[in-house]
Amino acid sequence: MDSVLRVSNGGTFTGSILVPGDKSISHRAIMLGALSDGLTRVTGCLLSEDVRCTINAFRVLGVQVDLNTSTDEVLVHGVGLHGLKNSPESIVVGNSGTSMRLMAGIFSGAGLSISMIGDSSLSSRPMKRICEPLAQMGANVKTSGDGTAPLYIGANNGLKGITYAMPVASAQVKSCILLAGLYADTPTKVIERIPTRDHTETMFETFGVSLVLEAGSITLLPTQKPIACDVVVPADISSAAFFLVGGAIGLDSRISMKGVGVNKTRSGIIRILEMMNAKISLTNVRMRGGEKVADITVASSDLHGVDIPLDCVAAAIDEFPAIFIAAACAKGVTVLRGATELRHKESDRIEVMASGLRTLGVDLETYEDGIKIVGGCIGSGTVDAQGDHRVAMAFSIAALKASGNIDISNAEGISTSFPEFVSIAKSVGLRVE
Ligand code: S3P
């Protein structure tokens, strides 16, 4: 169903908001809770469609998960590493790459015979990147002919640990291997040249599973079991991203957000926006549930274009749709290179963002691994989010600085990560229907 968001241009973007829980961390808390013996309480859990796919998957496999939607608290009644039941029905994970890739590691380790299906976007995303290391560990995972979902996981004779140097910078691949490694009888080592989000490592420690962390590698020693615990999920910086950019580009704007995760493997957007001259301040920086969080305030800023440093790319990988909007509103040119992975997200985010920006009159050039955006003015028109949640939210925010209204078609994906986006954005002044 095509859902169209109509956003009238202009307005100021001002107020204090509470951004919902981090999607990556919520998935991991539920997964490790399910694999522990006993009760895990997840506070501040994101209850978006993607996370609900993970919850439903474990329910199908015999794990009781209780949701309290008014407090965002989730109780996971873990069944232990070997307690998951097989299911004759396919596990449906919708749009959620994190569910599919991480659970492929768990289901392989648990020796289940099971299939996993996704929506059309997820069914076009690369899955060989997890099947290859899993096969080296002794798993039996098949994809469709072109290396995409559905995934068919067959029984195996037990997993062994591997040493795997990741060919792409991917936290999902790293996490898939480490989760499978919980079931291996020898050490599992992942070598990453470029650091990616380290929430799996942190969540392992929270659940009492220790890792050997060395520069550029993570090693999991065998026969450790996660222990049920209480997890507190910080606010999601990837959702906060739209408000960071909106606050910076909006006229006379000022947005404050409390308890946002600012783990350095995720906060590339703050570094990039600061380089662009955004007025951002972090206060009350503290640790919460093993993750660094801060209260963040952003105010209207005179942004200028930048060459985005290569070492910011992985730490901002989900925030580029929002950053491209900041670049389109900035004075001068912004260049991003080294970001081919953007072509393998919920959409090809280089092409889908470029196409929408061109519709709005923005001058740009694309590369296989990035984009050059000439900042200046944003016009008006209808852009197609192609079902990609972050593209839809990014173009909504663009209306704050546009010369006319922006209609965003195929915007229904927003509920995969941020179901309250429209109501929260409206509450601070976005003129969205
Ligand atoms: C995620 C890792 C990233 C990110 C995705 C969530 C995770 O994907 O883009 O939205 O939770 O591990 P890759 O690992 O494929 O880069």
Side-chain angles (χ1 to χ4, degrees):
M1 191 191 57
D2 182 1
S3 127
V4 179
L5 271 188
R6 300 223 136 87
V7 197
S8 303
N9 64 315
T12 61
F13 207 46
T14 294
S16 285
I17 58 168
L18 282 178
V19 172
D22 187 282
K23 180 154 77 72
S24 292
I25 297 175
S26 299
H27 280 295
R28 285 156 171 82
I30 289 155
M31 290 177 192
L32 283 175
L35 302 182
S36 304
D37 285 304
L39 187 67
T40 286
R41 182 187 308 271
V42 188
T43 308
C45 191
L46 175 69
L47 292 173
S48 70
E49 277 178 15
D50 275 12
V51 178
R52 284 172 188 269
C53 286
T54 290
I55 291 172
N56 287 338
F58 285 103
R59 282 180 170 160
V60 170
L61 303 177
V63 181
Q64 184 186 333
V65 185
D66 308 323
L67 310 187
N68 184 335
T69 46
S70 49
T71 58
D72 290 348
E73 190 175 274
V74 173
L75 296 179
V76 187
H77 301 257
V79 293
L81 273 182
H82 298 282
L84 298 177
K85 297 197 181 79
N86 246 322
S87 159
E89 62 179 278
S90 292
I91 300 295
V92 179
V93 296
N95 194 246
S96 179
T98 305
S99 308
M100 184 171 275
R101 294 197 177 111
L102 272 59
M103 292 194 307
I106 295 172
F107 298 168
S108 297
L112 304 184
S113 297
I114 204 154
S115 59
M116 266 194 279
I117 57 175
D119 68 6
S120 61
S121 152
L122 184 54
S123 303
S124 67
R125 296 177 65 187
M127 292 296 151
K128 278 199 183 131
R129 53 179 61 193
I130 55 160
C131 297
E132 283 170 4
L134 286 175
Q136 289 177 28
M137 295 177 85
N140 174 11
V141 185
K142 294 196 171 55
T143 59
S144 72
D146 50 359
T148 53
L151 294 186
Y152 304 96
I153 298 174
N156 59 63
N157 295 321
L159 300 190
K160 62 177 185 332
I162 53 169
T163 294
Y164 191 72
M166 291 205 299
V168 285
S170 167
Q172 292 182 348
V173 174
K174 169 175 70 177
S175 305
C176 168
I177 298 168
L178 291 173
L179 286 162
L182 285 173
Y183 296 87
D185 55 4
T186 51
T188 301
K189 181 171 184 174
V190 180
I191 299 172
E192 55 176 8
R193 197 170 46 83
I194 298 169
T196 61
R197 64 188 67 193
D198 59 2
H199 304 306
T200 298
E201 294 89 310
T202 302
M203 196 62 75
F204 270 33
E205 302 282 350
T206 304
F207 279 82
V209 174
S210 55
L211 295 164
V212 182
L213 303 177
E214 287 163 320
S217 76
I218 305 112
T219 305
L220 169 65
L221 299 175
T223 66
Q224 300 189 68
K225 291 187 176 134
I227 301 161
C229 60
D230 287 351
V231 180
V232 184
V233 180
D236 197 332
I237 190 163
S238 298
S239 298
F242 305 102
F243 294 88
L244 285 175
V245 170
I249 65 172
L251 189 71
D252 297 331
S253 297
R254 185 182 182 84
I255 296 281
S256 299
M257 298 172 271
K258 281 202 191 318
V260 182
V262 288
N263 175 326
K264 73 174 184 319
T265 62
R266 290 288 298 285
S267 49
I269 182 168
I270 295 179
R271 223 177 116 197
I272 294 167
L273 289 177
E274 281 178 342
M275 285 175 63
M276 297 176 82
N277 197 38
K279 292 182 195 150
I280 296 179
S281 66
L282 268 60
T283 54
N284 199 10
V285 181
R286 59 213 185 264
M287 294 304 286
R288 213 172 166 216
E291 293 279 350
K292 192 171 167 186
V293 302
D295 301 340
I296 307 184
T297 299
V298 58
S300 302
S301 313
D302 288 324
L303 299 181
H304 59 71
V306 288
D307 279 345
I308 295 174
L310 273 180
D311 67 358
C312 282
V313 173
I317 196 69
D318 287 346
E319 287 63 76
F320 284 111
I323 292 167
F324 292 174
I325 298 301
C329 297
K331 193 167 172 224
V333 176
T334 295
V335 180
L336 169 69
R337 302 303 298 255
T340 310
E341 275 298 300
L342 286 181
R343 296 195 178 273
H344 305 297
K345 297 297 176 189
E346 287 81 331
S347 68
D348 175 341
R349 287 187 175 152
I350 295 177
E351 284 318 316
V352 176
M353 284 302 298
S355 155
L357 287 169
R358 278 195 195 102
T359 302
L360 301 178
V362 177
D363 185 12
L364 58 87
E365 194 180 330
T366 61
Y367 314 107
E368 184 50 33
D369 67 341
I371 194 165
K372 175 169 96 180
I373 296 173
V374 183
C377 304
I378 294 198
S380 64
T382 301
V383 300
D384 186 350
Q386 296 193 23
D388 185 327
H389 53 137
R390 300 201 197 283
V391 172
M393 291 186 273
F395 280 117
S396 314
I397 293 301
L400 287 164
K401 198 62 187 252
S403 61
N405 302 343
I406 299 182
D407 283 351
I408 303 145
S409 60
N410 291 306
E412 64 287 345
I414 289 174
S415 50
T416 62
S417 68
F418 197 171
E420 310 86 342
F421 171 75
V422 169
S423 62
I424 294 178
K426 249 182 168 166
S427 76
V428 287
L430 193 71
R431 299 164 171 177
V432 55
E433 288 166 36

